[in-house]
Amino acid sequence: MSFRVLATARSFCTTPGPHHDYLRDHDCQVDLRPPDHPLSAAELAALIPGYDGVILGLDVCDASVIAAADRLRVISRYGAGYDKVDLEAATQRGIVVTNTPGANRIAVAELAIGLMFSLARRIPQVAANARQGIWSRAQGWELTGKTLGLIGLGAIGREVAQRALALGMRVLAYDPYVSGTVDGVTLVGLDTLLREAHIVSLHCAATPETVNLMDAARLAQMRPGAYLVNTARGDLVDEDALYQALVSGQLAGAASDVFRHEPPEGSPLLALDNFIATLHMGSTTAESVERMALMAAQNLVAVLRGEPCPYVLNPAALSRQE
């Protein structure tokens, strides 16, 4: 039996590797359609009819898309996050949703640490000055001895913690879903973390409870002159409030790999000298792409063939398929 599969995740589509061979070897006819930007619900709804499975990046897959899917059995998310997929609507239609947890944890953790170094030594600003012939050194500061506050202590948060501890940092973490002890990490309440951390790094999912988690009030709770790093989801931060905190000097700097609207064209944050932007590249390393791509392909094939899949997000959909 042959399966029709649509893939829109950009690096999945454009990077050669075993994931393409895996799909072909398991009777999947794949349409690779990498867009220039994450697809809107309307754009995805226009594409999705006629497909048995889909491999999505950051595309919006809401109830309108689910309604347009006339034969879809599986949505394989290329990545760990699934906030763009309407799980309830998919479950009602018997459409299984999967993800690739942990596949990008090293890549994102290393970027988070890299952004901390960039903030500490003003690397992007100094490099830009050098290109313009401005030979002006900036006095930076050392990560060693500083307190790092992690909001979220899942797979990525723990990778960041390991690296920060190796640098000689004190590591605090807030995660309401983690209890007990984590080697070298002190679990604290959110208020304590914001008050004590020199750097706050976000590593939690975007949920109704965490949207605008870092609003004006929480940014004001942070240690004066602290730094904020976001490699998780743009929805976690009130960007207007962050702008005001950076302009006023309440925060000394911030770095973000994610934005509420991507690309963040016209965002006033991009004009600030104490703000560093990267464009959702956290998981984009050769190693991470290969891991995520193969996992996404394996998840999709397992569901289509009725085989066990360990990364199903809505197991109730499996019973509806049966």
Side-chain angles (χ1 to χ4, degrees):
M1 181 179 181
S2 180
F3 305 106
R4 289 197 67 208
V5 174
L6 170 68
T8 64
R10 279 172 285 179
S11 53
F12 180 98
C13 294
T14 59
T15 304
H19 52 292
H20 293 304
D21 296 333
Y22 188 88
L23 291 174
R24 185 168 53 251
D25 292 344
H26 288 82
D27 303 317
C28 292
Q29 298 177 359
V30 185
D31 289 338
L32 302 175
R33 298 198 183 186
D36 294 330
H37 58 273
L39 295 174
S40 68
E43 291 170 325
L44 184 56
L47 289 175
I48 210 162
Y51 289 101
D52 301 293
V54 61
I55 297 174
L56 298 182
L58 295 169
D59 315 291
V60 178
C61 187
D62 65 11
S64 68
V65 178
I66 301 298
D70 55 352
R71 56 187 277 185
L72 196 66
R73 293 175 54 198
V74 57
I75 298 167
S76 178
R77 263 287 293 122
Y78 174 70
Y82 51 92
D83 47 291
K84 303 294 185 184
V85 180
D86 190 325
L87 277 183
E88 182 177 352
T91 303
Q92 290 300 315
R93 288 283 305 278
I95 299 171
V96 175
V97 182
T98 67
N99 68 342
T100 59
N104 65 352
R105 68 187 188 279
I106 295 173
V108 178
E110 290 186 355
L111 178 63
I113 294 291
L115 290 174
M116 294 176 204
F117 276 117
S118 295
L119 288 167
R121 302 302 297 270
R122 294 179 56 82
I123 293 171
Q125 296 90 334
V126 173
N129 286 343
R131 287 181 179 275
Q132 298 175 44
I134 303 171
W135 199 254
S136 175
R137 289 181 294 181
Q139 185 179 65
W141 46 276
E142 297 173 357
L143 297 183
T144 300
K146 300 299 188 298
T147 297
L148 172 63
L150 301 174
I151 299 181
L153 198 60
I156 295 172
R158 292 178 190 232
E159 293 286 348
V160 175
Q162 289 179 15
R163 287 154 177 78
L165 290 166
L167 290 169
M169 301 185 78
R170 172 187 179 225
V171 181
L172 307 179
Y174 166 73
D175 191 321
Y177 302 101
V178 174
S179 59
T181 60
V182 179
D183 288 346
V185 179
T186 302
L187 296 173
V188 296
L190 182 56
D191 291 346
T192 299
L193 183 147
L194 295 175
R195 183 173 63 249
E196 296 188 14
H198 296 93
I199 307 171
V200 172
S201 190
L202 305 180
H203 299 286
C204 52
T207 66
E209 294 75 29
T210 61
V211 169
N212 283 335
L213 174 71
M214 299 305 295
D215 57 11
R218 290 227 170 86
L219 292 170
Q221 283 183 266
M222 290 176 63
R223 174 195 287 260
Y227 296 79
L228 179 69
V229 174
N230 185 10
T231 55
R233 283 290 184 265
D235 289 342
L236 301 177
V237 178
D238 181 333
E239 293 176 359
D240 292 334
L242 176 59
Y243 177 84
Q244 294 300 326
L246 291 170
V247 169
S248 70
Q250 163 63 20
L251 297 187
S256 186
D257 187 48
V258 289
F259 295 86
R260 191 173 296 268
H261 301 290
E262 297 181 353
E265 296 174 354
S267 171
L269 289 168
L270 301 180
L272 296 180
D273 187 55
N274 57 349
F275 181 77
I276 299 172
T278 53
L279 301 180
H280 214 129
M281 57 179 275
S283 62
T284 310
T285 64
E287 297 86 354
S288 177
V289 165
E290 183 171 319
R291 286 190 296 266
M292 285 196 303
L294 187 56
M295 276 182 73
Q298 290 171 335
N299 289 345
L300 179 135
V301 167
V303 175
L304 289 178
R305 292 165 66 104
E307 298 171 354
C309 175
Y311 304 113
V312 172
L313 296 167
N314 57 341
L318 290 169
S319 60
R320 286 182 175 271
Q321 284 193 0
E322 293 170 358

